[in-house]
Amino acid sequence: MKLLSLICVLTYTLIFHPLKCTFSKVTFQNKENITIETRFFLDDLSEHLASSYRLKHADFSQLDSSGSQALQRYINERYYLLVNSEKINLQIDRLHVSKDRITLNVFLSAKATPTDNIIIYNNLLTEVFMNQEHKLIYNSKHFTLNKYQPELKLP
């Protein structure tokens, strides 16, 4: 039965949801904090977190819910900053599930200044989807990260 469910999910995902992408906007909220708003497709993220962290259901209703805590662990492993060559974890400040339940907006922050040497490392979901891309906007410039190019040095 589990195999049949997996086949159904994979078929649906490949046929109806071929886009494997996150979208992020990077800004400096003030002179000491970098903020990143990242939008995920909720189905891809929920299924992966539930499977990887053995959750019955990836719940993002509150910051201390099971899905949110699993997401923070996952982000610490695969989405972080190198600030002046030191790894800095991004902290989830807020989450928002869209009304249609298609996307999850994750609001992240970390200590960094615009004058720091900053590299963004984003390798989220690339272990699941070979064609996963991460679209990023910084200072009105567009960048794309992926499995083979997961780093961006902020200009």
Side-chain angles (χ1 to χ4, degrees):
M1 187 66 172
K2 284 187 178 184
L3 181 59
L4 181 59
S5 295
L6 181 61
I7 290 170
C8 289
V9 168
L10 290 175
T11 302
Y12 170 81
T13 301
L14 291 173
I15 293 172
F16 298 107
H17 180 45
L19 182 64
K20 302 298 178 195
C21 200
T22 64
F23 303 92
S24 297
K25 183 175 181 182
V26 179
T27 57
F28 283 91
Q29 188 173 18
N30 55 45
K31 293 181 181 180
E32 297 177 2
N33 288 309
I34 190 169
T35 59
I36 302 176
E37 178 184 349
T38 299
R39 182 175 297 166
F40 294 89
F41 284 109
L42 188 58
D43 58 347
D44 293 341
L45 183 64
S46 296
E47 290 169 19
H48 180 59
L49 291 178
S51 170
S52 297
Y53 295 96
R54 297 183 177 140
L55 304 175
K56 193 173 193 174
H57 170 71
D59 174 19
F60 302 105
S61 61
Q62 305 211 5
L63 287 177
D64 63 351
S65 63
S66 63
S68 302
Q69 289 179 350
L71 179 58
Q72 182 65 69
R73 286 177 46 204
Y74 185 60
I75 285 172
N76 289 350
E77 296 165 10
R78 304 191 67 87
Y79 192 21
Y80 52 84
L81 305 177
L82 294 173
V83 178
N84 301 323
S85 301
E86 179 184 344
K87 180 184 175 190
I88 304 293
N89 287 329
L90 294 163
Q91 295 301 310
I92 298 175
D93 295 325
R94 187 166 54 98
L95 299 163
H96 175 73
V97 177
S98 64
K99 288 182 183 179
D100 57 13
R101 302 202 46 82
I102 292 176
T103 61
L104 174 69
N105 283 17
V106 181
F107 300 85
L108 304 154
S109 66
K111 294 279 184 198
T113 68
T115 57
D116 287 331
N117 180 12
I118 300 172
I119 296 173
I120 296 177
Y121 183 88
N122 184 343
N123 216 7
L124 294 168
L125 298 172
T126 58
E127 74 277 26
V128 182
F129 306 112
M130 293 299 291
N131 59 340
Q132 178 74 34
E133 290 189 336
H134 307 290
K135 305 292 185 181
L136 190 133
I137 299 172
Y138 175 69
N139 279 347
S140 301
K141 295 180 184 166
H142 296 256
F143 305 93
T144 300
L145 303 177
N146 58 44
K147 180 179 187 105
Y148 306 103
Q149 185 180 346
E151 296 182 355
L152 171 68
K153 183 179 185 319
L154 292 184

